Amino acid sequence: MEIKREKYLDDLVVRMGNGMIKIVTGVRRCGKTYLLFKLFRDYLRERGVDDDHVVAAQLDAREFEALRDPDALYDYLSGKIGSDHGQYYVLLDEIQYAIAKDEFKDSKNPPRLYGVLNGLLHRYNVDVYVTGSNSKLLSTDVMTEFRGRGDEVRVRPLSFSEFMQGFDGDRRDGWDEYVVYGGMPLTLSLRTHEQKADYLRRLFDEVYFKDIVSRYDVRKPDELGTLVDVLASNIGSLTSSSKIEATFKSELRSDITDATLSSYIGHLAEAFIVEGANRYSVKGRKYIGSPKKYYFEDVGLRNARIGFRQIEENHLMENVVYNELRARGFSVDVGMVERRGREDGRDVRKQLEVDFVANRGFERYYIQSAWQIPDDEKRRQEKASLLEIGDNFKKMLLVGGSSPTYYDDDGILTMGVLDFLLDPDSLKR
């Protein structure tokens, strides 16, 4: 079973020979290695590139463990790159393994690895591609050390449309599977609930969690685990570290601080486990600040973490839509709109929420996500914030299951979520 992942392959192809280090980022096991070492390498072969002009090393593999030392890596690469004038392609997987923990923390002295990569850029016939599972690889300090020559390709777990390439069934059955087990590629080859659930649990606990605890010297791993559970239980809800701190103190009798919780959330974000969506005042055109909404990079990982409880399609659909928008290259905020009116003879103001304000270049879309709209009253509630916005950008209401796609009298487009996810041009309808 081969899933094309054409978007990401195209992202690499269009960057070939641009004189920059192509940095493929994303959560571990989401398909970065498959993209670079299978799909992209096959593409090079099809273009006539000889295998001896492709220098590859997977630094998380035992056989390449010695190359985690930057000096050894440099010697290895130098020995593989010939003196002929042919083009060489360097493919390095999981380069964070070549960065010591103390180097991640020291912003004044950049990791030695960056000197190795920058040195490769000075060779006119070398094109460099690396993968990494930590967003600090793209911090301000990193980009400074790359002298503006780092170019990110962000890879995510399988989108629903990619998932359906490998799913044997119709789209409704595919959705039922996807919303529970998510889009980590290996789950498609596993057959039973027990296999899928066990894989996702082990992936979270033995790969992501242990890596975060080790890399950041987390001294209270149990509290980090509880924090993950709190975030998993509150997808689609506004959350702040100070609110979580109060919960820890009142219910768990923990003395963990707001600052520590904030740093833990930062670690989870840097490992691409969660992303935060900021609140944005649509009419005031400014960011409001805490609290935020946190979404999981993959709903299957989220579900596995909390034992496949709280499989609530409304919140999971919201998480899936957020991930789809991010995969399409949009920045995504939570919109806030103020509505003024009179109740019981008094002037009142209410804050209404727009689930997603999606921006990409000059494009903007306002999107509400609702799994069920059983009656006109529910439809009015979902549309209320959209009707208060007042500008001319497209406004959409995504609903669960199958629904006809149509514009209503208020100019709001209603669309079924499956149509939205399976059509790459759905926002342009």
Side-chain angles (χ1 to χ4, degrees), residues 11-253:
D11 285 343
L12 290 179
V13 170
V14 76
R15 290 167 167 81
M16 289 178 64
N18 67 358
M20 304 177 80
I21 297 170
K22 274 64 72 174
I23 309 170
V24 183
T25 63
V27 67
R28 294 188 68 189
R29 305 292 191 270
C30 74
K32 302 188 303 297
T33 303
Y34 178 78
L35 169 67
L36 195 58
F37 285 71
K38 176 66 171 72
L39 298 180
F40 185 63
R41 197 161 186 173
D42 285 351
Y43 176 83
L44 293 177
R45 288 191 180 107
E46 291 170 2
R47 294 182 75 241
V49 177
D50 293 334
D51 284 348
D52 61 0
H53 279 60
V54 178
V55 184
Q58 294 174 256
L59 299 184
D60 63 338
R62 187 178 182 84
E63 63 183 294
F64 292 108
E65 189 173 355
L67 301 185
R68 297 174 188 177
D69 176 80
D71 293 331
L73 179 62
Y74 179 78
D75 291 341
Y76 174 81
L77 296 175
S78 296
K80 291 287 187 179
I81 297 171
S83 58
D84 61 278
H85 296 293
Q87 182 73 44
Y88 282 81
Y89 298 87
V90 172
L91 314 181
L92 301 177
D93 198 24
E94 300 293 3
I95 62 168
Q96 73 272 4
Y97 278 87
I99 303 175
K101 288 192 291 185
D102 59 343
E103 289 183 311
F104 258 120
K105 298 174 183 176
D106 187 354
S107 61
K108 295 181 180 178
N109 297 300
R112 291 183 297 151
L113 173 68
Y114 301 152
V116 173
L117 298 179
N118 272 323
L120 294 174
L121 291 181
H122 294 312
R123 303 190 183 205
Y124 70 92
N125 64 335
V126 176
D127 205 13
V128 183
Y129 302 77
V130 304
T131 80
S133 300
N134 191 294
S135 68
K136 277 199 171 182
L137 294 167
L138 288 172
S139 69
T140 301
D141 297 324
V142 172
M143 298 309 288
T144 298
E145 288 307 313
F146 281 158
R147 300 178 180 89
R149 297 174 73 181
D151 196 356
E152 182 187 17
V153 174
R154 175 77 155 84
V155 177
R156 296 173 181 271
L158 300 177
S159 67
F160 181 62
S161 61
E162 290 174 324
F163 174 87
M164 288 303 297
Q165 292 178 32
F167 181 76
D168 184 18
D170 64 25
R171 65 184 202 167
R172 178 63 217 205
D173 289 339
W175 170 261
D176 291 341
E177 181 90 0
Y178 185 80
V179 81
V180 174
Y181 302 113
M184 300 305 287
L186 187 59
T187 59
L188 270 171
S189 63
L190 303 176
R191 295 186 177 276
T192 68
H193 168 76
E194 290 74 16
Q195 290 175 333
K196 296 173 189 289
D198 184 60
Y199 168 69
L200 291 169
R201 288 192 195 102
R202 286 188 289 105
L203 188 59
F204 204 110
D205 294 339
E206 298 177 15
V207 178
Y208 307 141
F209 197 82
K210 285 185 178 179
D211 183 65
I212 292 171
V213 170
S214 173
R215 181 162 295 281
Y216 297 103
D217 293 324
V218 174
R219 298 180 180 181
K220 297 182 176 182
D222 290 343
E223 292 184 333
L224 173 63
T226 301
L227 170 64
V228 174
D229 295 340
V230 170
L231 294 177
S233 297
N234 286 279
I235 56 171
S237 300
L238 291 170
T239 307
S240 67
S241 55
S242 59
K243 182 179 179 180
I244 297 173
E245 178 190 18
T247 300
F248 269 72
K249 288 182 176 179
S250 63
E251 298 182 13
L252 304 175
R253 300 296 186 264

